[in-house]
Amino acid sequence: AQAWPEEGEIRYRAGIILLADARPKEAVAELEVGCKRLPTARCSAALAHGLLDLGREAEARRELGKILDRSPRPADIARGRQLIRRLLRRHQRIPDKARKLFMAAQRKLLQTDNAASALANLRELAIDFPNLGPAHTLRGLAHLRLGNLAQAVAAFGRAAKGSVDARNHYYLGVIYRARRQPDAAIRHYQRALALDPFLWRAAVQLGRLLGARGRHKEAASLLDRLVVLAPSHVARRMAGRASMQAGDLERAEKHFRKLLAREPRDFEAHLRLAQILLRLNREGPAARRASALSDAREHAAEAASLRPTDPEVKLLLRRIRGR
């Protein structure tokens, strides 16, 4: 580090060694410098863990939020999720006297799918521990399993007060969405993601709701996050569609080209690329307009070979012929 004072990688590696040696104060000093000089997801993940070791929880959460904006690898996401679990353990310790009943209820609900019996254990537990947050979360899950939505809302709402468990807000979002109360669902999904930015199910649901409300840029940003957290063909399609609706044609094009690279005969990828390229022929940079039209014809032909009777394909071919 003395020989190469501007090299962030050296400070990052020094911080990792110090963390492994249980010297978090020195590790954080190295990592803070390293992350400024080399702002990577892995450095943010390491720094967040070091900050939590020192009890600087708010700063750890802020650093945790940077991971997804820094092209994270699967290992970086795994370290971020590990920190979320550490935060939960820190805030949700089960008292020794409550442990037996709590574990019995958890086992009945999650392993044997016996929600009614789990609720009986939880009612007994509430006599001595009426304010135990994890028990209220478990109660909410049990009522949700039984279809008792009003009781589930009450349980999750009580558990969410002062809790760091994102599941409470996530399931409240699920319930309010089922009740066709999208504004309330949006608020709870947002709170869930604030507590756990890696909760990809919340990103999916919130992205869909925002898109339905015409908030396409926010939806596209969330669905880009989904591609990072839970990469799949479905995630790529959703992100590509959202970017198209947001008017970000270049980002949409990247999503569908990546999808096509993995699935060369994917109908929707060919169709959407043809639509995007046709718009770029009209609205894009002048230097690219001719090639965009040529590429649009190729993708439209591929889409037509896969589904010749599709209405969108027929409309697209008419537009291209008109050019």
Side-chain angles (χ1 to χ4, degrees), residues 108-253:
K108 287 174 182 176
L109 178 63
L110 302 181
Q111 294 180 15
T112 65
D113 198 22
N114 191 342
S117 184
L119 281 171
N121 286 135
L122 291 167
R123 280 193 290 270
E124 186 180 348
L125 183 62
I127 295 170
D128 294 319
F129 298 94
N131 300 314
L132 188 60
H136 289 298
T137 300
L138 209 57
R139 183 176 292 106
L141 290 169
H143 281 302
L144 192 59
R145 189 74 57 89
L146 293 170
N148 305 326
L149 297 189
Q151 293 94 322
V153 167
F156 286 128
R158 189 168 179 183
K161 292 177 181 176
S163 174
V164 298
D165 191 342
R167 293 180 303 167
N168 297 309
H169 287 294
Y170 171 74
Y171 284 112
L172 284 168
V174 168
I175 294 168
Y176 282 116
R177 189 180 184 210
R179 288 177 166 181
R180 298 185 180 181
Q181 295 177 258
D183 290 336
I186 285 170
R187 285 196 302 273
H188 285 292
Y189 285 136
Q190 287 172 332
R191 290 169 187 166
L193 285 169
L195 290 169
D196 182 356
F198 305 98
L199 188 57
W200 65 268
R201 289 182 179 85
V204 173
Q205 299 300 336
L206 181 56
R208 285 173 172 164
L209 284 171
L210 291 172
R213 284 301 181 93
R215 295 162 64 177
H216 298 302
K217 288 186 179 180
E218 294 171 81
S221 177
L222 277 164
L223 294 171
D224 279 350
R225 178 189 295 195
L226 174 65
V227 171
V228 174
L229 291 173
S232 67
H233 299 329
V234 173
R236 281 274 178 213
R237 287 190 188 97
M238 290 175 68
R241 289 174 203 151
S243 293
M244 283 183 74
Q245 291 174 319
D248 192 337
L249 299 182
E250 291 184 3
R251 184 160 63 171
E253 182 183 2

